[in-house]
Amino acid sequence: MKVLMVASECAPFVKTGGLADVVGALPGALARVDVDAQVVLPAYPPLFPVLPEGEEVARFDDLPGGPGRLVRATVHGITLLLLDAPQLFDRPGGLYVDENGRDWSDNHLRFGALSMAGARIAMGAIEGYQPDVVHAHDWQAALAPVYMRMAGRDIPRSIITIHNIAFQGRFGPQVLGQLQLKTDWFHPEGLEFHGDLSFLKGALMFSDRITTVSPTYAREILTPEFGMGLDGVLQARSGALSGVLNGIDTEAWNPATDTALAQTYDAKTLKRKAANRVALSERLGLETRSDAPLFCVVSRLTNQKGLDALLEAVPHLVDRGAQLAVLGTGQPDLEKGFRDAAMAHPRQVATHIGYDEALSHLFQAGSDAILIPSRFEPCGLTQLYGLHYGTLPVVARTGGLADTVIDANVAAIVAKAATGFVFHEVSANGLAAVIDRVVEAYADPKLWQSMQRAAMRHPVSWDSSAQAYHDLYTELV
Ligand code: ADP
Ligand code: GLC
């Protein structure tokens, strides 16, 4: 089985969030179930050093936004098909935004080109390589199934995976021509979304299958509350929709071997975890303590993640004697809010604004609990890292958070099944109440350790989900 992944991020090369973790880990997991997955990815500057080592396998002169070539290279065990189109991808700034945080004005061309490259490969552009399935991820790859359908007969099967329906790739209708899209497909039963072109809607209309990254989110996006305007389209295609939970890369994320930690540990040597709390506290200038829990946040700082509500609950957390360490970047108001909170409570609250992969590992190992109060969360990965590191997740009951964390209610505690804390209301009050529950559980070391062990036993690898994708691909072809 040959699967072509089309995606705009891939860890460890280029990452803004969980999409990169998934695209970086899934091919290796699929290889173990005999699926050969290659990844079409834009050649952004961090990938330039790889280009000379690769082999040019195709050239295109008429992609949206100009010419491009494909270079195949295997790095860190992943076979990449790098779309080298410097006019689109050789620039400073972020993957999607310029140095001032504004979307690149030609994002439709950049990701139209990525999608078209994927479709061309599906149609045989690379000699000796014919994928059976094209698996597109998020709006940036979403035109791939559309271009395939436009090309007509005898095409491979296609899947779109929704990692976050809040991002849809919506552009004015004037870009249709630049994207070489059929204007007679521009209507509400096709590519049109309220007068605009929507990349994601295109894929929802024209892919053979639609998946998202947890079963609960697959149900939630069928409702107006979570569907972001696409719930009607999804309902019409609900027979093609399913949820497959994300896993994590248990080699990159393993507390027993993690080189970013002050002290490695496993479920049998949990006591050694404490050295990481000391190291993290010293690094952040927090008071070194163990009488109350240290909570952490590792996140994009946005309202999606409910961090505005957490900010309001900080005084309560501090009153309860707990500590908080925040690692993230994002909305200026939240960055400032958490910086101010750290200044107001320097021994109990620390804020590190920035993106730091190694530090995120020490945050996971050094904290007792990880807070994820998201308003919606398609899957979420940081709660999975938390489980695997014995750092109990404190999560809102939504999307993949609800599917991966077992709340410490009485029944779960008696059954020794509880792995974290699940709460409902994303508000300062809701957070204060769950913080109280965590502080009380932490005061009972026997209970806490039993929960840590249950968390560390919880299966978080890709094994079962790779099998689920394998089965889906097999069913399709
Ligand atoms: P999302 O993709 O919505 O941002 P996920 O939980 O799926 O949420 O994935 C977020 C990923 O980004 C995780 O791997 C997390 O550790 C990482 N991450 C988020 N913010 C930071 C940061 N400031 N520094 C390092 N890693 C971060
Ligand atoms: C998105 C979602 C997140 C998910 C990630 C990977 O960024 O916000 O919940 O874990 O994609 O699928």
Side-chain angles (χ1 to χ4, degrees):
M1 173 77 64
K2 291 191 174 60
V3 175
L4 179 71
M5 303 268 172
V6 187
S8 59
E9 302 186 19
C10 180
F13 317 110
V14 276
K15 165 166 166 178
T16 70
L19 169 66
D21 293 288
V22 171
V23 176
L26 189 50
L30 286 172
R32 292 192 283 279
V33 289
D34 283 332
V35 174
D36 164 23
Q38 308 196 9
V39 183
V40 200
L41 181 76
Y44 305 104
L47 287 149
F48 289 171
V50 173
L51 291 174
E53 293 160 27
E55 178 199 358
E56 182 178 302
V57 289
R59 269 181 179 276
F60 312 111
D61 20 323
D62 57 348
L63 297 175
R69 62 184 194 122
L70 282 172
V71 174
R72 181 187 266 141
T74 301
V75 202
H76 292 299
I78 308 175
T79 302
L80 299 173
L81 293 161
L82 294 168
L83 177 59
D84 183 24
Q87 76 283 10
L88 298 176
F89 302 116
D90 179 10
R91 49 182 84 167
L95 302 187
Y96 315 121
V97 295
D98 66 18
E99 285 136 314
N100 300 315
R102 272 188 300 258
D103 284 355
W104 294 111
S105 61
D106 58 351
N107 272 346
H108 59 294
L109 299 175
R110 301 172 75 227
F111 299 109
L114 173 70
S115 298
M116 189 178 281
R120 294 276 180 84
I121 300 169
M123 314 304 299
I126 301 179
E127 216 186 294
Y129 175 64
Q130 179 56 60
D132 303 298
V133 176
V134 171
H135 186 163
H137 296 268
D138 267 354
W139 77 264
Q140 294 90 341
L143 288 185
V146 177
Y147 288 127
M148 286 165 65
R149 199 61 78 85
M150 265 171 46
R153 313 148 295 117
D154 234 22
I155 49 176
R157 308 282 87 190
S158 61
I159 300 181
I160 177 76
T161 292
I162 303 168
H163 293 265
N164 191 339
I165 206 163
F167 303 104
Q168 302 180 354
R170 203 171 151 173
F171 303 95
Q174 74 284 356
V175 305
L176 280 173
Q178 297 168 37
L179 290 170
Q180 306 167 40
L181 289 167
K182 284 195 177 172
T183 45
D184 56 343
W185 286 21
F186 188 70
H187 52 75
E189 299 300 307
L191 303 169
E192 182 187 342
F193 185 65
H194 299 291
D196 286 335
L197 162 70
S198 163
F199 276 45
L200 186 60
K201 182 177 174 187
L204 300 184
M205 299 303 291
F206 295 108
S207 299
D208 294 303
R209 286 300 177 93
I210 303 167
T211 71
T212 185
V213 286
S214 69
T216 293
Y217 194 61
R219 285 191 300 274
E220 287 172 340
I221 54 180
L222 293 171
T223 67
E225 192 188 346
F226 292 95
M228 303 272 176
L230 290 172
D231 38 294
V233 174
L234 284 165
Q235 266 174 29
R237 294 221 58 207
S238 59
L241 170 68
S242 60
V244 179
L245 262 187
N246 288 333
I248 65 170
D249 180 340
T250 48
E251 272 171 41
W253 289 91
N254 178 356
T257 54
D258 194 328
T259 53
L261 308 196
Q263 173 73 260
T264 55
Y265 60 95
D266 60 22
K268 290 199 200 77
T269 55
L270 257 176
K271 278 212 172 72
R272 290 159 58 172
K273 186 177 188 326
N276 293 298
R277 178 162 175 181
V278 174
L280 181 61
S281 301
E282 281 170 0
R283 169 99 185 248
L284 298 175
L286 286 169
E287 189 177 8
T288 307
R289 296 176 34 186
S290 59
D291 56 333
L294 169 58
F295 291 87
C296 77
V297 168
V298 179
S299 184
R300 293 187 285 120
L301 302 181
T302 68
N303 285 352
Q304 174 197 336
K305 302 288 181 178
L307 297 172
D308 48 323
L310 175 61
L311 200 51
E312 277 182 66
V314 167
H316 184 82
L317 185 150
V318 168
D319 278 350
R320 293 299 316 251
Q323 293 178 299
L324 173 67
V326 177
L327 170 61
T329 56
Q331 284 172 213
D333 58 326
L334 291 173
E335 290 188 356
K336 177 171 186 311
F338 282 107
R339 273 202 181 107
D340 290 350
M343 251 158 7
H345 312 282
R347 293 188 305 188
Q348 279 174 273
V349 180
T351 300
H352 184 102
I353 299 298
Y355 190 93
D356 189 329
E357 190 74 28
L359 190 55
S360 75
H361 287 239
L362 184 61
F363 265 65
Q364 289 279 2
S367 308
D368 300 299
I370 179 159
L371 277 162
I372 312 164
S374 307
R375 294 202 164 82
F376 66 92
E377 195 61 75
C379 180
L381 296 174
T382 57
Q383 83 279 15
L384 301 180
Y385 300 139
L387 289 170
H388 207 51
Y389 278 60
T391 301
L392 303 183
V394 183
V395 304
R397 190 189 299 128
T398 187
L401 301 173
D403 288 335
T404 52
V405 179
I406 302 174
D407 179 52
N409 60 38
V410 177
I413 290 174
V414 171
K416 294 202 180 335
T419 59
F421 303 84
V422 184
F423 67 102
H424 184 62
E425 192 194 302
V426 179
S427 67
N429 284 339
L431 273 152
V434 77
I435 287 166
D436 288 347
R437 291 175 61 209
V438 179
V439 170
E440 279 148 34
Y442 186 80
D444 179 348
K446 241 178 98 187
L447 168 63
W448 192 266
Q449 279 157 31
S450 141
M451 286 182 67
Q452 285 181 303
R453 279 192 290 270
M456 294 177 87
R457 275 196 309 270
H458 189 88
V460 289
S461 81
W462 267 106
D463 294 348
S464 66
S465 295
Q467 186 64 46
Y469 281 119
H470 165 277
D471 296 349
L472 188 65
Y473 301 146
T474 309
E475 203 186 303
L476 267 179
V477 301

